Amino acid sequence: MRTLLFWISVTVISARAAGQTTPPAGTPAATRGAKAATKTATTGAATPAATKTAPAAAAAKTAPTAGGATAKPAQAPAKPSPLGARLAQALKALRADPQMTHAIYGFYIKDSATGKAIWDENSQTGLAPASCQKVIVSTASLELLGEDFQYQTRIGYDGSIQNGVLRGNLYIIASGDPSLGSWRYAGSRPEEVMEAIHSILQASGITRIEGNLLLDDHTFPLQPVPRGWVWEDLGNYYGAGAQGLNWHENQYDLDLEPGDRVGDSVRIVAQRPALEGDTLLNELTTGPKGSGDQSNIYWAPLTKLGYVNGSIPADGKNITIAGSIPDPGRLFINALAENLKTWNIALDGSVQNSLDYTRAHRAFPVFATVMGSLPSPSLDSLVYWFLKKSINLYGEALARTLALQKTGTAATDTGVSVIRDFWIKRGVERTAFHIQDGSGLSPQNRVTAFGLVQVLEYARKRPWFRAFYDALPVIDGMTMKSGSIGGARAYAGYVGGKDGRKYTFAFIINNYDGNGTEIQHKMWKILDELK
């Protein structure tokens, strides 16, 4: 008995040394061998998908297939392709790198024309994808909402208009449009939005409002950020949540002037746009030359007090950092009230939003008549900037919009369920996407490389593919989305090789050590083998 146990132990160890793995469900049939004795997700190199075979002890056996036929014995390993050999060598070097001592990665490559798996290593392991999650959300949005979808911010009133006097309230009815007041689109810039509202009021002949100016921004739930976002992100521009009314992409800029010496205080030169009535405490100091921007803004949504600390370098020049507007709806409605004065439209009442009524435990009034609306750019344009500049706000707005359109409730959790259900119905395994938000900012998100490639391959066959493909950034000569949060780097996209073949791929690394830029370039070096 002891001899038999020893023989089994040797067989398992040999299988590990050979780097044999079990191909995931969905791998092309030609690449499937008998089940390997053990998985080598983190212990050894994966072989190219086309050359995986069963352990020698299992090769001589046959087993019934699902259809009742007898499977042929696994063949001897085929000689790796030149691409497979290059990838094996490059990944061997990556695994030996000190930055990867305690890291894990998932890597999956598919021939886009044949559907053949070219490389498969840990492709079924859920990893934090960072902004590569935007690939999942943008494609589901294009399919479910349509590339021509537009948000509509409506202008309405109750009461009546008589001789230029509105005897009632003027309403702005928000729709969650993430582009309202954005500088990226003609027609959406702050001054253009205000002028469009002015034109609507002029067309209705209003010169005086006897009631209140009311912002109905409860289209989305009051809590603007998803679960799992970390405190140090919320005050910075990339940590802006999606609110009922979003303004200027919920971003403001701080122009900063460093001191002459290390330890000197830093002066805030300007805040654009100014957050009137809010207080930002300045705890910034001057750091050594060449130390870079080490500042961070801490500010909870819908509050009046925040603070900025850390340092900026004593390089003799000003720098600009960006924060998230804590209450964009309030900023917008106050700006509109100031414009009413400029347009010589008198406002007798007060300026209020949905939050004011919530705090007072009062029901928000219901408008009766729509005078006009402000359409957003079409969804394909929004997706362009969502992916090109990786704007987290857009992903959160889209997740909530999908929830609202499909269920009538604009909660992030509901939107995430809509997105997951969409992909499950299209062949993505249920547990491949454990996502918490629409942007990838939450460190709790987990996505598989295999699932990302499934999404990318699905997109290829859809009529909106060109809009999606054009929105992907070109990085290191490859059309791909990048992702980066603490300890995580990811890439997913498409590349054409010198051999004329086209490949779809996803590459995720989690828990690497040290500098993110260094690991990024090491990933590029491996992906360069596909060119």
Side-chain angles (χ1 to χ4, degrees), residues 171 214 218 352-354 356-358 360-366:
Y171 293 78
L214 300 178
H218 68 278
Q352 301 177 57
N353 63 8
S354 301
D356 294 323
Y357 279 80
T358 299
H361 303 287
R362 293 187 294 151
F364 195 83
V366 178

Side-chain angles (χ1 to χ4, degrees), residues 125-130 133 136 420 430-436 442-449 485 488 508 510:
T125 299
L127 300 170
Q133 189 161 302
I136 298 168
R420 288 188 70 197
R430 183 182 62 83
T431 61
F433 294 162
H434 282 298
I435 59 178
Q436 302 292 322
S442 172
Q444 297 179 10
N445 292 308
R446 294 294 182 270
V447 165
T448 68
I485 57 174
I508 309 171
N510 280 190

Side-chain angles (χ1 to χ4, degrees), residues 340-493:
L340 290 177
K341 297 176 184 177
T342 303
W343 304 331
N344 294 317
I345 299 177
L347 176 64
D348 295 346
S350 60
V351 178
Q352 301 177 57
N353 63 8
S354 301
L355 183 57
D356 294 323
Y357 279 80
T358 299
R359 285 171 173 158
H361 303 287
R362 293 187 294 151
F364 195 83
V366 178
F367 73 96
T369 305
V370 174
M371 291 186 287
S373 67
L374 311 175
S376 75
S378 56
L379 182 60
D380 55 356
S381 296
L382 300 181
V383 165
Y384 179 88
W385 289 111
F386 175 42
L387 296 178
K388 197 71 77 176
K389 291 298 183 181
S390 207
I391 308 170
N392 292 333
L393 167 65
Y394 285 28
E396 302 314 320
L398 287 173
R400 291 186 161 203
T401 301
L402 286 170
L404 184 63
Q405 294 283 324
K406 301 303 175 181
T407 72
T409 302
T412 298
D413 289 351
T414 305
V416 164
S417 295
V418 169
I419 293 165
R420 288 188 70 197
D421 289 346
F422 172 83
W423 287 115
I424 289 168
K425 291 175 182 176
R426 283 151 185 82
V428 175
E429 202 277 322
R430 183 182 62 83
T431 61
F433 294 162
H434 282 298
I435 59 178
Q436 302 292 322
D437 59 25
S439 63
L441 185 60
S442 172
Q444 297 179 10
N445 292 308
R446 294 294 182 270
V447 165
T448 68
F450 188 84
L452 278 173
V453 170
Q454 284 182 286
V455 170
L456 290 164
E457 286 293 280
Y458 176 83
R460 280 185 176 278
K461 305 174 180 67
R462 307 308 299 157
W464 41 259
F465 176 65
R466 176 50 60 182
F468 170 70
Y469 183 84
D470 289 345
L472 291 170
V474 177
I475 305 169
D476 190 39
M478 289 169 277
T479 302
M480 59 184 181
K481 185 73 190 77
S482 64
S484 173
I485 57 174
R489 289 275 172 163
Y491 294 96

Side-chain angles (χ1 to χ4, degrees), residues 144-272:
L144 292 172
L145 298 175
E147 57 186 311
D148 295 326
F149 171 82
Q150 292 177 289
Y151 291 89
Q152 299 287 340
T153 302
R154 294 174 292 169
I155 316 300
Y157 67 93
D158 59 20
S160 62
I161 301 173
Q162 299 175 14
N163 300 319
V165 177
L166 170 56
R167 290 187 168 88
N169 301 311
L170 179 66
Y171 293 78
I172 307 297
I173 304 97
S175 62
D177 178 4
S179 68
L180 192 70
S182 172
W183 57 94
R184 303 183 197 276
Y185 315 89
S188 292
R189 300 179 182 96
E191 64 277 9
E192 294 171 320
V193 170
M194 292 300 173
E195 189 51 44
I197 294 174
H198 186 201
S199 296
I200 291 171
L201 296 178
Q202 281 184 316
S204 298
I206 295 175
T207 59
R208 186 180 193 88
I209 303 167
E210 289 187 342
N212 301 317
L213 174 58
L214 300 178
L215 171 60
D216 182 353
D217 56 353
H218 68 278
T219 307
F220 289 172
L222 189 60
Q223 160 66 323
V225 298
R227 293 182 300 164
W229 282 19
V230 298
W231 167 234
E232 67 182 61
D233 289 340
L234 299 186
N236 301 285
Y237 75 97
Y238 58 85
Q243 305 201 25
L245 189 133
N246 304 293
W247 183 241
H248 202 256
E249 294 189 356
N250 297 353
Q251 174 183 324
Y252 69 93
D253 295 329
L254 285 179
D255 296 332
L256 305 174
E257 180 183 53
D260 296 327
R261 297 177 300 276
V262 174
D264 283 353
S265 60
V266 171
R267 187 169 72 93
I268 296 177
V269 178
Q271 186 184 72
R272 301 174 282 115

Side-chain angles (χ1 to χ4, degrees), residues 495-507:
V495 63
K498 292 180 181 179
D499 56 5
R501 294 182 178 179
K502 295 181 179 179
Y503 302 104
T504 308
F505 64 88
F507 191 9

